[in-house]
């Protein structure tokens, strides 16, 4: 099946020109891939296609990529939100046995069908804004069986929806109550689960929450070593609430990304630059936890560390289901430019997942693209609470509207 899309304002995000913009552009979808991208006036003559779409001057971008979510869980933490508004701290609630542990209890009590129904509804909400690739972490099961169950639910989301899912094993998200006072034993258990998860095809990457309410750098290193022994790439929840030196450690393991990074040090930035690690910024969590310390965006920019953006969707620190809102927040709160924000949710998000075949509009890339009710790509970061997504192609197939 070949589809020709004509008369679009293309933001290809390919190359170094602003937005990779092509005015009055065209592209040819051939099967699951882009065959040709360029100016409409330069379309090769005599091209035979099965279908033609006139974009009428509308904006077309790569499909959006949400590269950090915790989509599989049951229950909510709205009561905890109220407590925090009355002055309780996020870390205090976690230390008192609420927080992530409350979601773990609700998740363990939910059936596979319930977990799938909840996760797929969240995925659909993200897809409605043009998300074509989604990362989903485990981390609310915290036993061998429960973690595998959550990863299997994440895989099922990709089987049943027109969407790509990359799974990340985050057994080292919090210490489950069964292991109180025995964090090192729990880390040994997490490491022991990984080979079976990998053998079952359930895991594309491995993550750890390295922080005072999470795990130490030494514990993080043990999980990373177990991942490396299996040939799995790593990423890290790093320097979210404090500077643990997590980014330096993750970079030493060639991490795909370090995520959050409000407390990132100059040494962390230098290590990430050398390792080619993406800085994955999560403005939803910064906003919802009412953080005041900003990630060092200017220093990351100067160092040339690629910056990505994601929702971090989770019930405790970022119950957001809008990647477009994160573009807006990244600009207003973190001072990214609208172009940096869009690159952060496309080409740099792909890099944060280790995917080189998507995130730009270029010949040979996957045909994941969105047609927007907008004329210029900066509009995507400008409005909020508004969804201009009109048509989506995933792997060359248009989603039902
Ligand atoms: N950092 C976060 O922001 C989420 N996980 C993490 O390691 C929060 C998860 C939660 O509060 O449920
Ligand atoms: Fe997270």
């Amino acid at each position: 099946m070949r589809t020709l899309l004509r008369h679009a304002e293309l933001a290809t995000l390919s190359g170094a020109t602003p937005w990779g913009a092509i005015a009055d552009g065209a592209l040819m979808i051939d099967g699951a891939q882009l065959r040709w991208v360029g100016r409409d006036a330069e379309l090769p003559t005599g091209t035979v296609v099965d279908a033609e779409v006139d974009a009428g001057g509308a904006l077309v971008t790569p499909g959006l990529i949400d590269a950090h979510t915790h989509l599989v869980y049951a229950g909510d933490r709205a009561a905890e939100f109220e407590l925090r508004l009355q002055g309780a701290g996020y870390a205090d609630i976690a230390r008192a046995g609420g927080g992530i542990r409350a979601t773990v209890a609700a998740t363990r009590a939910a059936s596979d069908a319930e977990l799938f129904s909840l996760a797929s509804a969240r995925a659909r909400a993200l897809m409605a804004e043009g998300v074509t690739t989604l990362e989903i972490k485990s981390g609310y099961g915290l036993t061998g069986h429960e973690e595998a169950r959550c990863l299997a639910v994440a895989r099922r989301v990709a089987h049943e929806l027109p969407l790509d899912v990359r799974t990340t094993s985050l057994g080292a998200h919090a210490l489950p109550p069964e292991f109180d006072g025995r964090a090192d034993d729990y880390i040994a258990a997490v490491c022991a689960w990984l080979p079976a998860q990998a053998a079952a095809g359930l895991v594309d990457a491995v993550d750890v929450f390295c922080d005072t309410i999470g795990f130490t750098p030494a514990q993080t290193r043990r999980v990373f070593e177990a991942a490396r022994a299996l040939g799995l790439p790593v990423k890290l929840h790093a320097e979210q609430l404090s500077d643990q030196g997590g980014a330096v450690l993750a970079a030493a393991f060639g991490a795909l990304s370090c995520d959050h990074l409000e407390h990132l040090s100059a040494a962390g930035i230098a290590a990430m630059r050398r390792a080619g690690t993406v800085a994955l910024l999560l403005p939803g969590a910064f906003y919802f936890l009412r953080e005041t310390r900003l990630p060092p965006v200017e220093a990351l920019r100067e160092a040339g560390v690629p910056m990505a953006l994601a929702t971090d969707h989770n019930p405790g620190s970022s119950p957001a289901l809008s990647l477009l809102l994160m573009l807006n927040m990244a600009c207003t709160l973190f001072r990214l430019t609208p172009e940096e924000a869009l690159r952060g949710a496309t080409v740099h998000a792909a890099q944060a997942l280790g995917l080189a075949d998507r995130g730009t509009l270029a010949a040979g890339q996957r045909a994941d693209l969105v047609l927007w009710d907008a004329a210029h790509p900066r509009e995507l970061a400008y409005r909020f609470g508004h969804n201009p997504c009109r048509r989506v192609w995933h792997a060359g197939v248009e989603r039902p509207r």
Side-chain angles (χ1 to χ4, degrees):
M1 169 88 180
R2 286 179 160 195
T3 304
L4 186 60
L5 187 126
R6 304 189 59 181
H7 304 301
E9 291 302 304
L10 297 180
T12 69
L13 305 173
S14 178
T17 58
W19 307 94
I22 302 178
D24 195 22
L27 54 81
M28 211 236 289
I29 300 171
D30 188 358
Q33 281 192 335
L34 293 171
R35 168 64 57 103
W36 188 90
V37 179
R39 291 184 52 77
D40 192 275
E42 288 162 17
L43 263 173
T45 48
T47 312
V48 184
V49 294
D50 304 292
E52 200 169 305
V53 174
D54 186 342
L59 171 69
V60 172
T61 70
L64 301 189
I65 299 173
D66 193 347
H68 180 141
T69 82
H70 308 248
L71 221 65
V72 180
Y73 63 87
D76 67 72
R77 306 244 290 280
E80 177 183 313
F81 175 51
E82 285 188 308
L83 283 178
R84 285 198 296 105
L85 291 175
Q86 289 157 17
Y90 176 77
D92 302 329
I93 291 169
R95 282 190 203 99
I100 294 174
R101 279 189 177 187
T103 301
V104 169
T107 302
R108 288 177 178 176
S111 68
D112 293 5
E114 282 164 340
L115 285 180
F116 174 74
S117 152
L118 291 164
S120 57
R122 294 169 191 137
R124 280 181 203 281
L126 293 166
M127 288 164 65
E129 285 189 346
V131 168
T132 49
T133 298
L134 180 62
E135 186 256 17
I136 301 181
K137 300 176 196 296
S138 66
Y140 291 114
L142 310 188
T143 69
H145 173 75
E146 291 292 328
E147 285 289 299
R149 193 166 80 97
C150 292
L151 291 167
V153 167
R155 282 279 188 249
R156 190 175 154 208
V157 169
H159 286 138
E160 303 207 9
L161 300 180
L163 173 79
D164 272 29
V165 169
R166 305 293 288 180
T167 58
T168 300
S169 182
L170 179 59
H173 192 196
L175 190 65
E178 310 84 86
F179 281 86
D180 260 335
R182 294 190 296 130
D184 284 327
D185 292 348
Y186 180 63
I187 289 297
V190 168
C191 295
W193 304 333
L194 281 179
Q197 289 177 0
L202 289 174
V203 45
D204 299 317
V206 174
D207 192 352
V208 174
F209 182 26
C210 180
D211 219 308
T212 48
I213 57 167
F215 296 94
T216 65
Q219 290 160 345
T220 301
R221 173 184 286 279
R222 288 171 60 199
V223 177
F224 283 180
E225 277 165 357
R228 180 153 71 188
L230 295 164
L232 292 171
V234 301
K235 26 204 331 95
L236 188 66
H237 280 73
E239 328 332 359
Q240 179 186 6
L241 307 169
S242 61
D243 180 12
Q244 299 289 311
V248 171
L249 173 65
F253 281 81
L256 291 173
S257 70
C258 289
D259 305 28
H260 288 286
L261 301 176
E262 280 81 347
H263 295 260
L264 180 64
S265 67
I269 294 171
M272 288 172 68
R273 178 180 51 74
R274 282 193 299 273
T277 299
V278 174
L280 215 172
L281 307 179
L282 304 169
F286 173 89
Y287 162 80
F288 195 64
L289 296 183
R290 305 182 72 237
E291 298 288 350
T292 51
R293 170 137 175 171
L294 290 160
V297 163
E298 184 53 41
L300 287 164
R301 189 185 280 134
E302 264 173 34
V305 174
M307 292 181 280
L309 293 176
T311 60
D312 190 20
H313 176 86
N314 75 74
S317 71
S318 187
L321 285 170
S322 168
L323 189 52
L324 288 179
L325 178 58
M326 300 305 118
L327 266 62
N328 176 270
M329 284 185 178
C331 296
T332 54
L333 300 174
F334 293 172
R335 293 293 190 206
L336 264 66
T337 67
E339 183 182 352
E340 285 173 329
L342 184 59
R343 287 183 185 268
T346 52
V347 57
H348 293 156
Q351 196 179 337
L353 296 177
L355 300 172
D357 65 346
R358 67 197 73 186
T360 65
L361 299 176
Q365 286 267 295
R366 275 171 50 111
D368 290 346
L369 49 132
V370 184
L371 187 150
W372 306 91
D373 183 12
H376 193 284
R378 63 186 163 223
E379 293 175 46
L380 298 180
Y382 160 63
R383 294 190 184 85
F384 58 97
H386 170 69
N387 183 6
C389 173
R390 289 295 169 268
R391 300 174 71 167
V392 180
W393 285 261
H394 168 254
V397 179
E398 185 171 9
R399 281 189 190 148
R401 276 184 277 173

